[in-house]
């Protein structure tokens, strides 16, 4: 499921290259060029779950269980990730 920018026209996809996950704007016209957003492992995991339509609470619970850390701590990180995407104009979090 592609996500849209505030304009409703931009789709994003994640790719893995050179040992880094990259979030790419697949519908940009080319100029001005929009740099890909590098993601770490946690960011890539969150992105994958957002694409599947999971809610923030579900993502937090899954990651907390996976990494053995508190759900409250993970939820804070997931919300910060979503806020960062929002500041970049990527509407991915519900």
């Amino acid at each position: 499921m592609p996500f849209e920018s505030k304009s409703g026209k931009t789709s994003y996809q994640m790719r893995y290259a050179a040992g880094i996950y990259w979030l790419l704007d697949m519908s940009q016209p080319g100029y001005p060029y929009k740099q890909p957003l590098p993601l770490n492992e946690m960011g890539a995991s969150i992105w994958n779950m957002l694409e599947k339509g999971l809610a923030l609470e579900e993502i937090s619970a899954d990651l907390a269980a996976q990494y053995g850390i508190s759900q409250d701590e993970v939820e804070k990180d997931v919300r910060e990730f979503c806020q960062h995407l929002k500041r970049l104009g990527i509407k991915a979090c519900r």
Side-chain angles (χ1 to χ4, degrees):
M1 172 173 94
F3 296 108
E4 297 178 346
S5 70
K6 290 178 184 175
S7 68
K9 297 180 181 177
T10 308
S11 297
Y12 291 86
Q13 292 182 6
M14 186 173 60
R15 298 283 191 257
Y16 184 77
I20 300 173
Y21 294 94
W22 300 95
L23 194 56
L24 304 163
D25 180 347
M26 301 303 285
S27 66
Q28 64 179 315
Y31 183 81
Y33 178 68
K34 203 174 198 180
Q35 293 281 352
L37 175 65
L39 301 176
N40 61 19
E41 291 281 335
M42 183 71 77
S45 294
I46 295 168
W47 182 263
N48 282 329
M49 288 185 240
L50 288 170
E51 281 192 311
K52 292 176 183 174
L54 277 85
L56 299 182
E57 295 77 21
E58 294 172 298
I59 294 170
S60 299
D62 185 279
L63 292 173
Q66 185 178 349
Y67 290 100
I69 52 181
S70 79
Q71 187 170 342
D72 290 338
E73 186 178 341
V74 176
E75 191 167 325
K76 180 182 173 223
D77 291 342
V78 171
R79 290 188 187 285
E80 285 177 12
F81 179 80
C82 287
Q83 288 299 319
H84 182 67
L85 292 178
K86 187 177 179 180
R87 285 191 298 275
L88 295 173
I90 304 170
K91 296 189 301 184
C93 302
R94 294 163 193 31

